[in-house]
Amino acid sequence: MNSYSTSALRAIAAAFLYGVVGVLPACADTALSQGARPSPVSAQSPMKAAAPRKVNGSGIEVQFRIDGTPRIGAALTVSLGFEGVVPQAGASVRFAVDAGLMLAESYKPSSALPEGVSVPTMTVQVVPTAEGLSYLHVFTTQRGVTSVSSIPVQVGTPAAAKPRSDLQSTPDGDKIRAMPVR
């Protein structure tokens, strides 16, 4: 085979793969809109840790999952899991939000976390009031020590990243960043 036919074959294979990848989500959306329901396992993504547990913190790791798509004025459910709750340690949780979110008054006072459950869970309803990135702040207290974990809620498209000014061009047109070696 000559180099032209190999390049053409690679281009055709790449185009085919991009086409398949682009069609699969469209097929999935069509199946859901025709009355099919997603399985409970695929409907809920696993929870993510908001931040690693700190040595000098409350000892509670907050995990979260945002259920749904954040939209201005529409209630959004944030599912929370609390790992590391110790029985008889007086574990409690309190919530606060940034200016771009609204939180019901019932969530603002501190409430006790249940004891005897391996990973206590709860849901919190927030209402986005503006586009952009806002945070739901989760304050956990245990043994008199308080920690905070901030959960990001992105409404709309994120702001474009600023171009890096420390990139240099090579004679071939590649971009590189020089870093000192220690």
Side-chain angles (χ1 to χ4, degrees), residues 35 42 46 56 71 84 92 102 145 162 164:
S42 66
N56 61 347
R71 292 189 176 93
S92 64
M102 194 168 60
V145 179
K162 295 179 182 177
R164 296 196 61 124

Side-chain angles (χ1 to χ4, degrees), residues 156-176:
T157 57
K162 295 179 182 177
R164 296 196 61 124
S165 61
D166 60 346
L167 295 178
Q168 300 171 355
S169 295
T170 65
D172 296 333
D174 294 328
K175 300 286 185 192
I176 61 169

Side-chain angles (χ1 to χ4, degrees), residues 79-163:
S79 298
L80 299 168
F82 303 94
E83 192 170 295
V85 175
V86 177
Q88 293 108 19
S92 64
V93 63
R94 178 176 62 86
F95 303 101
V97 291
D98 284 348
L101 295 175
M102 194 168 60
L103 182 68
E105 290 295 322
S106 60
Y107 293 115
K108 291 182 180 176
S110 182
S111 56
L113 288 172
E115 297 176 3
V117 181
S118 62
V119 180
T121 60
M122 68 174 36
T123 58
V124 177
Q125 297 280 325
V126 295
V127 178
T129 59
E131 282 200 15
L133 182 62
S134 299
Y135 291 90
L136 167 65
H137 305 288
V138 181
F139 296 89
T140 55
T141 302
Q142 183 168 248
R143 293 188 181 112
V145 179
T146 301
S147 296
V148 64
S149 299
S150 298
I151 298 171
V153 178
Q154 176 67 49
V155 180
T157 57
K162 295 179 182 177

Side-chain angles (χ1 to χ4, degrees), residues 23-36:
V23 169
L24 286 177
C27 292
D29 290 343
T30 303
L32 289 177
S33 66
Q34 294 176 354

